[in-house]
Amino acid sequence: FWLCLRDREGTFVGAQCAKLYDWQDSNFKIEAESLRFVYADPQASAFPEEMITCTAPSAERVSGLVCYSGNAWFHPQVRGTGLAKLVPLLSRTFGFHFWDTDITCALAVPALVEKGVVANYGYSRVEPIIDWRNCFFGDVQLYLLSKPRQELERDMARSLEGLS
């Protein structure tokens, strides 16, 4: 699914997508390093010599029914308004509700971690390092963000308490 954000006038100001992965017999490390996390058919779709090396400590624990909740974009006029806290929480909550997920994960570039933006996303684990080489945007290092089901349930309960 994806969330489309519009302002009062109906102007598009942001979006976030989510995808369900069934990794009952696998995990993020295996799926990332095989490139199946990115491509349905890595042999046919990957760039020459494209590869991912994943050494994030919890990558092997990102397994079961996994909601990848990431790839958000916000228009500059709405950045700094709190949407970076609200939208990831909504995305994780919808993923949990619709898919009964075991864990939610996302990826982030180091600049977002260094600027403190990722702290707003609400993930309990923020771990380097995913090293992605020779991909469509060159070479990049990423952080793996994750939040297990039990922590997500606790976050949702706290959010509901705040509404009463």
Side-chain angles (χ1 to χ4, degrees):
F1 65 84
W2 69 286
L3 303 173
C4 176
L5 307 170
R6 296 187 182 277
D7 66 13
R8 287 188 177 107
E9 289 76 41
T11 303
F12 176 74
V13 294
Q16 180 161 348
C17 68
K19 181 175 181 177
L20 176 66
Y21 289 98
D22 185 351
W23 293 339
Q24 304 286 340
D25 299 316
S26 192
N27 61 58
F28 184 88
K29 180 177 177 59
I30 291 168
E31 297 300 318
E33 290 183 345
S34 71
L35 298 176
R36 290 187 304 258
F37 171 68
V38 184
Y39 305 110
D41 182 356
Q43 291 282 26
S45 302
F47 283 78
E49 300 182 33
E50 183 173 358
M51 65 180 287
I52 295 175
T53 304
C54 181
T55 58
S58 68
E60 292 178 355
R61 291 190 303 274
V62 177
S63 63
L65 290 178
V66 177
C67 176
Y68 175 78
S69 174
N71 300 85
W73 176 83
F74 300 105
H75 190 282
Q77 75 186 33
V78 299
R79 292 177 189 163
T81 62
L83 287 176
K85 275 188 174 180
L86 178 62
V87 174
L89 174 61
L90 286 174
S91 182
R92 287 191 301 273
T93 302
F94 289 162
F96 176 78
H97 175 75
F98 293 126
W99 298 324
D100 194 25
T101 53
D102 298 306
I103 193 165
T104 303
C105 70
L107 299 174
V109 295
L112 292 178
V113 175
E114 293 159 9
K115 289 180 183 177
V117 174
V118 167
N120 289 324
Y121 295 169
Y123 284 93
S124 53
R125 291 173 184 80
V126 178
E127 304 171 337
I129 187 172
I130 297 166
D131 194 22
W132 194 353
R133 300 286 175 197
N134 304 310
C135 66
F136 60 92
F137 45 80
D139 295 344
V140 66
Q141 290 190 335
L142 300 166
Y143 280 71
L144 175 62
L145 319 176
S146 63
K147 182 171 283 266
R149 175 187 186 106
Q150 299 82 359
E151 293 176 20
L152 179 57
E153 288 173 326
R154 191 173 56 238
D155 288 355
M156 290 186 301
R158 283 186 193 140
S159 295
L160 290 173
E161 287 170 7
L163 295 176
S164 50

